[in-house]
């Protein structure tokens, strides 16, 4: 099928390459010529395992092309909308890019074609855009097909997702949209992927409520970590124990520095802003607590570092291992790790920061930090070690070697990812999160 993908960020670039992998003929558009040039050369503009491989394969097969010229989408049956919806100044989602993409796309749309929204938008956006598309191009329609991809697993989550959700209008248009999307996802559906057909507002809500739930689950366990710290309990053992209850489940119960990244933080804020607009602020008032618990984790680590170093970090050398908001990603958007590193520097510490993939992206946001080439370089002469992103490389560090490098063997395990006993046996004072 001829498909266009508008927006080549984390979502769009992966979606475009994945659609080509599924055998479709894809044209991918972005307003950023540098990004388009890199993608056309087979270079992924961010670190995402598996993306370079499917990109190279798609380019070699001739099934994908990248352009900044929206006119090239003409003739595609399905136009996926995959632009960003960043957090605006009030916390509400900024729909500038979505509106601009739809406005740029409509002159090239034909009757019978479908615009398929994938971006995370405030509930009600799809209905508004659908009306705009129908008014501009008689016979064209807009439906919503939210994505749930996790960075680091984006290719797998796109090709073999947990579920497909189609938000479509009632009647004949909806039936045509379902048939077309079934064709787009034929391979995925053949694997037995559940597919749910819902209306437009439900589709929009599925996405934001899934992220709100995940954020709540993480903040729940982090609240338990706060309690555990006061009473001397171990939150990891607690998570294991409650996680055995199938109704609760162990996933997303890892206490630590909390959530960051390009989705969860902004999505819970945008969702609250939307609830306020809809006149039901109380319904999502709890998300303010979810956000506050999450941000407190960062304060806690900064305070712990100060306490360990005798009240102030000024003049102390701190090794920061990890800058990305989670492992297997170079994304530092709203990264708890990078935030903590920058705050420690602000308090007068010398911060030697290392991340296996995110140094380049971190440097763009915080050029003032000292970035080093390896974990060894970071550890050398450190007065305190902070592990802030749970990369395997850090889990596998030999604590005896680490002990021989640092000047003061104290480690804060911000992700509860180290072997506490092994680090303690190597002479480290170990401080975990809620344990
Ligand atoms: C998330 C959703 O999972 C995905 O479905 C949605 O489409 C986009 O947002 P992503 O931002 O890639 O995906 O990351 P995710 O794996 O969900 O992790 C989010 C944050 O939560 C990370 O900072 C991670 O470190 C943190 N986290 C996750 C925890 O602190 N504890 C956990 O138990 C799990």
């Amino acid at each position: 099928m001829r498909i266009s993908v508008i927006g080549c960020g984390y979502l769009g670039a992966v979606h475009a390459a994945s659609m080509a992998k599924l055998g479709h003929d894809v044209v991918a558009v972005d307003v950023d010529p540098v990004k388009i040039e890199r993608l056309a050369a087979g270079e992924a503009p961010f670190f995402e395992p598996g993306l370079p491989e499917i990109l190279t394969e798609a380019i070699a097969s001739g099934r994908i092309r990248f352009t900044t010229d929206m006119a090239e989408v003409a003739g595609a049956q399905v136009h996926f909308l995959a632009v960003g919806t960043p957090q605006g100044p009030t916390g509400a989602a900024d729909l500038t890019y979505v509106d601009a993409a739809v406005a740029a796309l409509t002159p090239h749309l034909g009757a019978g074609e479908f615009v398929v929204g994938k971006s995370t938008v405030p509930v009600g956006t799809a209905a508004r855009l659908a009306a705009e598309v129908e008014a501009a191009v008689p016979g064209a329609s807009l439906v919503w097909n939210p994505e749930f991809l996790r960075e680091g697993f984006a290719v797998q989550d796109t090709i073999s997702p947990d579920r497909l959700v189609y938000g479509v209008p009632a009647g004949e248009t909806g039936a045509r949209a379902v048939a077309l999307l079934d064709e787009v996802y034929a391979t995925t559906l053949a694997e037995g992927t559940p597919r749910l057909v819902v209306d437009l507002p439900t589709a929009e809500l599925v996405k934001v409520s899934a992220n709100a739930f995940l954020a709540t689950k993480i903040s729940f366990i982090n609240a338990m970590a706060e309690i555990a710290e006061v009473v001397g309990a171990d939150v990891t053992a607690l998570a294991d124990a409650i996680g055995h209850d199938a109704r609760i489940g162990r996933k997303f119960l890892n206490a630590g520095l909390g959530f960051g990244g390009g989705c969860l933080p902004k999505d819970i804020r945008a969702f609250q802003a939307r609830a306020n607009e809809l006149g039901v602020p109380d319904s999502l008032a709890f998300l303010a607590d979810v956000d506050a618990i999450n941000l407190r984790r960062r304060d806690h680590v900064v305070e712990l570092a100060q306490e360990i170093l005798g009240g102030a970090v000024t003049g102390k050398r701190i090794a920061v291992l990890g800058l990305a908001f989670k492992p297997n990603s170079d994304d530092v958007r709203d990264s708890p790790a990078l935030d903590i590193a920058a705050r420690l520097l602000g308090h007068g510490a010398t911060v030697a920061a290392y991340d296996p993939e995110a140094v380049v992206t971190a440097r763009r946001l915080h050029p003032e930090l000292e970035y080093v080439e390896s974990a060894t370089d970071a550890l050398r002469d450190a007065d305190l070690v902070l592990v802030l992103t749970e990369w395997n490389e850090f889990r596998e560090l030999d604590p005896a070697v680490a002990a021989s490098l640092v000047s003061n063997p104290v480690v804060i395990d911000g992700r509860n990812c180290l072997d506490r006993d092994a680090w303690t046996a190597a002479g480290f004072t170990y401080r975990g999160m809620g344990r």
Side-chain angles (χ1 to χ4, degrees):
M1 188 184 292
R2 287 198 60 191
I3 285 176
S4 84
V5 178
I6 296 141
C8 291
Y10 280 93
L11 166 61
V14 173
H15 194 69
S18 300
M19 291 300 103
K21 171 85 184 164
L22 293 180
H24 301 300
D25 182 11
V26 182
V27 54
V29 191
D30 199 285
V31 291
D32 179 350
V34 177
K35 196 181 279 180
I36 287 297
E37 209 170 291
R38 289 183 65 180
L39 283 163
E43 212 185 301
F46 45 84
F47 177 79
E48 182 60 49
L51 179 58
E53 290 80 4
I54 61 164
L55 197 56
T56 310
E57 188 188 315
I59 292 167
S61 71
R63 282 200 302 270
I64 198 163
R65 75 207 141 85
F66 294 94
T67 178
T68 53
D69 182 5
M70 188 66 92
E72 292 194 37
V73 308
Q77 287 164 275
V78 171
H79 305 270
F80 283 106
L81 212 54
V83 294
T85 51
Q87 183 178 321
T90 62
D94 176 358
L95 295 180
T96 312
Y97 303 110
V98 172
D99 288 328
V102 171
L105 172 62
T106 39
H108 309 289
L109 266 184
E113 295 175 13
F114 280 89
V115 181
V116 180
K118 291 205 81 69
S119 309
T120 304
V121 290
V123 58
T125 307
R128 170 173 71 77
L129 294 174
E132 285 173 23
V133 165
E134 281 158 30
V137 188
S141 315
L142 179 140
V143 298
W144 219 260
N145 168 222
E147 59 73 32
F148 306 98
L149 65 81
R150 296 161 299 166
E151 287 178 25
F153 302 92
V155 174
Q156 179 193 322
D157 285 352
T158 304
I159 292 174
S160 306
D162 293 338
R163 73 297 207 188
L164 287 164
V165 175
Y166 304 169
V168 301
E172 189 264 338
T173 305
R176 274 195 299 122
V178 171
L180 208 58
L181 287 172
D182 278 354
E183 211 180 316
V184 170
Y185 295 118
T187 311
T188 305
L189 290 167
E191 287 172 2
T193 304
R195 176 265 253 165
L196 294 97
V197 178
V198 298
D199 54 31
L200 290 177
T202 304
E204 292 166 305
L205 276 179
V206 168
K207 171 64 196 224
V208 283
S209 59
N211 277 354
F213 189 88
L214 294 172
T216 304
K217 199 169 178 188
I218 297 167
S219 277
F220 175 85
I221 202 66
N222 280 327
M224 295 307 111
E226 291 183 347
I227 306 286
E229 266 155 31
V230 173
V231 301
D234 182 342
V235 76
T236 58
L238 177 130
D240 290 342
I242 63 173
H244 277 297
D245 183 331
R247 294 169 302 175
I248 296 173
R250 181 62 180 83
K251 288 182 184 160
F252 269 65
L253 279 186
N254 293 322
L257 300 179
F259 56 83
C263 289
L264 300 191
K266 83 164 170 70
D267 286 355
I268 59 167
R269 292 168 197 153
F271 201 12
Q272 288 172 83
R274 188 65 185 134
N276 293 347
E277 284 169 10
L278 293 167
V280 284
D282 292 347
S283 306
L284 297 182
F286 72 96
L287 287 179
D289 278 332
V290 168
D291 205 358
I293 293 166
N294 192 53
L295 295 176
R296 276 209 299 274
R297 301 311 293 164
R298 305 174 188 190
D299 302 338
H300 174 66
V301 169
V302 172
E303 285 159 15
L304 193 57
Q306 287 167 326
E307 177 201 309
I308 289 169
L309 294 173
V313 298
T314 320
K316 303 289 185 176
R317 187 169 177 83
I318 300 181
V320 163
L321 300 182
L323 296 162
F325 84 104
K326 68 173 193 181
N328 300 314
S329 170
D330 65 357
D331 196 347
V332 293
R333 287 177 295 173
D334 212 337
S335 168
L338 184 56
D339 186 24
I340 289 167
R343 281 160 66 171
L344 290 170
L345 184 78
H347 286 298
T350 301
V351 176
Y354 168 70
D355 187 284
E357 294 294 336
V359 165
V360 173
T361 45
R363 189 179 269 128
R364 268 183 228 140
L365 286 186
H366 286 286
E368 71 282 11
L369 286 168
E370 179 189 332
Y371 297 98
V372 295
E373 299 282 321
S374 66
T376 304
D377 287 348
L379 290 167
R380 196 167 287 122
D381 301 327
D383 296 306
L384 173 64
V385 180
L386 261 56
V387 177
L388 302 182
T389 313
E390 66 275 36
W391 286 95
N392 277 341
E393 183 180 334
F394 305 148
R395 291 180 195 274
E396 289 161 8
L397 279 174
D398 181 340
V401 174
S404 71
L405 290 166
V406 299
S407 69
N408 184 31
V410 186
V411 61
I412 299 180
D413 182 2
R415 293 292 181 181
N416 289 339
C417 63
L418 303 179
D419 181 338
R420 177 172 55 182
D421 295 342
W423 282 72
T424 307
F428 271 89
T429 301
Y430 173 97
R431 299 296 292 266
M433 299 287 103
R435 39 194 326 218

